[in-house]
Amino acid sequence: MAFRSAVITFPGSNCDRDLAVALEKVSGTPALRVWHGDAELPERLDFIGVPGGFSYGDYLRCGAIASRSPIMRAVIEAAERGVPVLGVCNGFQVLTESGLLPGALMRNAQLTFTCRTAPLRVENSQSLFTGGYEQGQEIMLPVAHHDGNYFADEDTLDRIEGEGRVAFRYLDTCNGSRRDIAGILNHAGNVLGMMPHPERAIESDHGGSDGRALFESAVKGLVAA
């Protein structure tokens, strides 16, 4: 059976096409496009992508309004059933605002927009998303955000660290994130939120391909299953 993925588009999304292209290039099957106002997801999905951008103009808080969109109720239900969900940048913010991931993304500590390639370390290579990497592998992925400063209280940080739910960690001071966290998993391991953009690093001609393994790992794991 062909791999079936969907990418959500909100008003203000600007990385939805990049995410859809990455999924198609790796899986060979076009991603289905889903509008934020839809109440239901397509049937039999293997993977859901929540893209980067500036949903609803980042009004109120980044991701806050998008997290209340009709489609997010269906995304939450799908995630609770075990469907893999990847939230990138603004998508990470949406996932925290919707309660699928703990913590919050605040204004960068330097109070400026950061747009560059950032060095990361793979902290968990055992998840569906990160199985294509080696534990401790250092990779380079683009970042482009103004509100990527991950915050959670110390008890929450200790818990996600202890449960191996930190997927990626910055190797430099990127945005002030607590414990340099760049991406985290939910307790079940089927939801990943990350500020760096793996979908922008799938082809060497575009400056790097370190993000490709994330999509290959997910597609391979899901097709094999």
Side-chain angles (χ1 to χ4, degrees), residues 183-223:
I184 61 171
L185 296 154
N186 69 338
H187 182 73
N190 67 304
V191 178
L192 169 64
M194 58 189 298
M195 289 309 296
H197 288 266
E199 79 283 8
R200 296 184 184 177
I202 63 166
E203 295 179 310
S204 297
D205 290 346
H206 289 171
S209 59
D210 283 354
R212 191 179 187 95
L214 186 149
F215 296 100
E216 290 178 338
S217 175
V219 171
K220 180 180 178 180
L222 292 166
V223 170

Side-chain angles (χ1 to χ4, degrees), residues 10-219:
F10 303 97
S13 294
N14 66 7
C15 300
D16 46 337
R17 184 180 182 277
D18 293 345
L19 188 51
V21 167
L23 286 164
E24 181 175 359
K25 282 185 176 294
V26 172
S27 71
T29 305
L32 302 170
R33 308 301 295 276
V34 180
W35 183 235
H36 76 109
D38 295 344
E40 297 180 355
L41 289 163
E43 295 181 352
R44 296 180 285 104
L45 285 180
D46 298 305
F47 189 98
I48 300 168
V50 186
F54 304 90
S55 58
Y56 292 93
D58 282 347
Y59 291 115
L60 186 59
R61 291 185 309 276
C62 298
I65 299 176
S67 72
R68 271 49 177 183
S69 289
I71 197 60
M72 283 307 298
R73 290 193 291 271
V75 172
I76 292 169
E77 291 173 0
E80 290 174 345
R81 295 196 307 270
V83 177
V85 178
L86 170 66
V88 177
C89 199
N90 187 222
F92 186 9
Q93 297 162 344
V94 173
L95 295 183
T96 59
E97 289 285 346
S98 66
L100 282 172
L101 292 171
L105 282 307
M106 306 193 309
R107 186 64 46 88
N108 293 347
Q110 65 271 37
L111 303 181
T112 58
F113 188 90
T114 182
C115 183
R116 60 184 175 88
T117 300
L120 309 172
R121 183 171 61 241
V122 179
E123 295 291 339
N124 179 343
S125 63
Q126 303 303 309
S127 76
L128 173 73
F129 305 96
T130 58
Y133 299 105
E134 297 293 330
Q135 186 75 21
Q137 182 177 344
E138 296 184 8
I139 62 174
M140 301 289 290
L141 291 180
V143 294
H145 55 255
H146 198 272
D147 296 75
N149 181 355
Y150 181 74
F151 175 85
D153 61 66
E154 288 299 314
D155 288 343
T156 299
L157 291 170
D158 288 343
R159 185 175 71 253
I160 62 177
E161 293 266 19
E163 294 174 351
R165 290 165 53 191
V166 176
F168 300 101
R169 201 183 305 272
Y170 298 111
L171 290 177
D172 63 6
T173 303
C174 183
N175 48 35
S177 288
R178 297 299 189 274
R179 304 189 189 182
D180 295 320
I181 289 173
I184 61 171
L185 296 154
N186 69 338
H187 182 73
N190 67 304
V191 178
L192 169 64
M194 58 189 298
M195 289 309 296
H197 288 266
E199 79 283 8
R200 296 184 184 177
I202 63 166
E203 295 179 310
S204 297
D205 290 346
H206 289 171
S209 59
D210 283 354
R212 191 179 187 95
L214 186 149
F215 296 100
E216 290 178 338
S217 175
V219 171

